[in-house]
Amino acid sequence: MANDASAVSDARSPAVSNDKLADPFTPPADSSLWRKNFLLGAATASYQIEGAVDEDGRLPSIWDTFSAKPGKVLAGDTGAVACDHYHRWEADVDMLASLGLEGYRLSIAWPRVKDAAGLPNRKGLDFYKRLLNRLKEKGITTFVTLYHWDLPQHLEDRGGWLNRDTAYRFADYADLMSRELAGTVDAWATLNEPWCSAYLGYGNGHHAPGLADGRFATQAMHHLLLAHGLALPVLRANDPASQKGIVANIGRGTANSASAADQRAAHLFEVQHNAWILDPLLKGAYPQDLFELWPGTEPLVLDGDMQTISAPLDFLGINYYFRTNVASDGAHGFRDVPLEGVERTQMGWEVYPDGLRDLLTGFKSTYHNLPPIYITENGMASDDKVIDGHVDDTQRISFLKLHLAAVNQAIKAGVDIRGYFLWSLMDNFEWAFGYERRFGVVHVDYSTQKRTIKRSAELVAKFLKERKARV
Ligand code: IFM
C-alpha cells in the first residue's frame, strides 16, 4: 500500500501541474489504464439528457411531477428539454465516437417504453433500438441501466417504491426491454444508485417523489433491491450473452478525530452509504448497525427475499464522487464536520481520490464474492464557460487524472476493475441543482443546444488514440 499511496502523491506533485499545458492527463507508462481491455467510456441518464417528455407517448415520470413543484429544483429547472438528446441522438453518438470513447452507459426511461396498462410503447422502444444499433455500428460497448430514477408517475400514484408490487412491475419492464433489445446491450444494470432513490427520494425528500420518513427509506430500499433481484433471472433468460449487474454510489466517511466515538461515527456513515446496499447484495442480509443508526426502521422482508436479492452478479458498478468527514453526534449517529482548506468542486464536494482507492480495497477484503467492478460514474461539476470556442476545464483534468490514478492503485492492490465511465458525456440536468452544475466533458449551451468539446475530453481522446495505436 505504501507504493500505492506514493503514486497518488506523484499524481499531485508539482511536476504534474508544471506539465499542465503539455499533457496534464495521460497516465504514467506503468499504469494499468494502458491495458487495451480496460474500458474507458462516458455515462448519461435518460431524464438528464433526453427532453421530449411528452412526445411519442412518453408518460409523466416522478421527476416531471417533482421538478414542476416550486422550490424543488434550483431556478425551477425541469428535464422537459434538457439536452434535447431525443432529437439529437445521432449527432451525440457521432460526438462520442469522434472522441474515441469505447463505452457508453445510458439509461432507459421506463415511462417512454410502456403505457399505463403496462403494454409496450413501440415509438419509445424504437428510439432505444435505433440508438443502440447505431452505438453497435460504431463499435461502442453498451451499458444500459434500466432505472435511473424516472419512475412512471402512475406507479408512484400507487405507492411507488413503498408498494411491493412496483418490484414486480419492474421485473415485467426488464422482461420487455431484454426481449426487445437483446443483442445490442453488452451489460445491463438493473438500478442506478438505489441509495439515492431510497434515501433522497423517500428518506429526506430532496429528490422525487419528495417523501421524508426514515421508515419509508428502508422499505423503499428493500423493494428496490427486490426489484433488482427479480429482474436478474429475467435478464439472464432473455439475453444470456450480456453481463448483468447493478450500480451503487459509494461514500467515504472519515473520522474527525481518533476518538472511539468519532471512529464509530465514520463506520456508521459508511454502513448507511455502502453496507446498506452492498451487504444485502453480497451477503444476503441488511447490516444490523443500520438499525442502531435508525432505530425502528427495519423493513418488512418476506421469506426468500434475501436469497432473491443476493443472487450472483456478473459485475458491480461503482459511482464515486467525494468523502465526508464526520464526528459523533453525541447519540447514535454522525454529523458532518466539513474540512477547511481542502479542494472542492462546484458542488462543494471535496476532491478526495484516496477515498475511491480505499473503499475499493476495503470492499475486496469485506466481500469475498466481490464481482468484477466497473467504475460506472466518476467526475465533477465546474462552472465551465466557452471562451473563444474553447472550454479549459483545468480542475476536471486534474480530478480525472487523480481518480484514474486511484483506480490504478486499487487494480495494483488486486481489485478486479474492468473499466471507467466519465460522468458525464455532456452537461445535463443535475437533479435538484438543475442546469447550473456542469458535469460534462462536453459543454452544452442550453439556449442553442450547441455542444463544445471541453479540454478534458480532448485529452481523454488523445490518450485513447495513443493507447489504440500501441502495438
Ligand atoms: O448526475 C448524477 C447522476 O445522475 C447519478 N450519480 C451522481 C451524478 C452527479 O450528482
Side-chain angles (χ1 to χ4, degrees), residues 367-412:
Y367 303 109
H368 300 298
N369 53 349
L370 188 69
I373 285 179
Y374 286 88
I375 307 301
T376 34
E377 287 181 25
N378 179 235
M380 55 156 283
S382 49
D383 185 17
D384 300 318
K385 304 266 189 291
V386 182
I387 298 170
D388 297 333
H390 299 282
V391 181
D392 195 5
D393 52 340
T394 321
Q395 192 190 12
R396 179 172 296 102
I397 294 164
S398 148
F399 180 101
L400 296 179
K401 182 170 181 110
L402 293 170
H403 286 77
L404 281 162
V407 169
N408 180 46
Q409 290 157 27
I411 294 172
K412 297 233 154 117

Side-chain angles (χ1 to χ4, degrees), residues 45 48 148-149 192-193 319 321 347 349 377 423 428-431 439:
Q48 294 181 273
H148 198 126
W149 311 351
N192 178 70
E193 303 183 352
N319 296 353
Y321 288 92
M347 295 296 285
W349 296 346
E377 287 181 25
W423 184 267
N428 57 50
F429 177 76
E430 177 51 25
W431 307 112
F439 273 92

Side-chain angles (χ1 to χ4, degrees), residues 223-238:
H223 292 152
L224 281 152
L225 294 177
L226 181 64
H228 155 81
L230 292 170
L232 269 189
V234 173
L235 296 171
R236 287 199 191 287
N238 291 344

Side-chain angles (χ1 to χ4, degrees), residues 10-78:
D10 282 346
R12 289 167 164 171
S13 71
V16 170
S17 50
N18 288 343
D19 197 28
K20 216 172 248 173
L21 291 175
D23 185 348
F25 176 76
T26 298
D30 64 347
S31 168
S32 319
L33 306 176
W34 283 101
R35 280 185 345 217
K36 282 190 182 159
N37 62 356
F38 184 86
L39 186 71
L40 258 171
T44 61
S46 46
Y47 191 72
Q48 294 181 273
I49 65 165
E50 286 179 1
V53 290
D54 49 15
E55 277 183 52
D56 292 341
R58 181 189 176 279
L59 300 175
S61 79
I62 54 174
W63 269 95
D64 297 296
T65 310
F66 186 74
S67 60
K69 289 185 184 154
K72 297 296 182 191
V73 175
L74 205 63
D77 290 341
T78 75

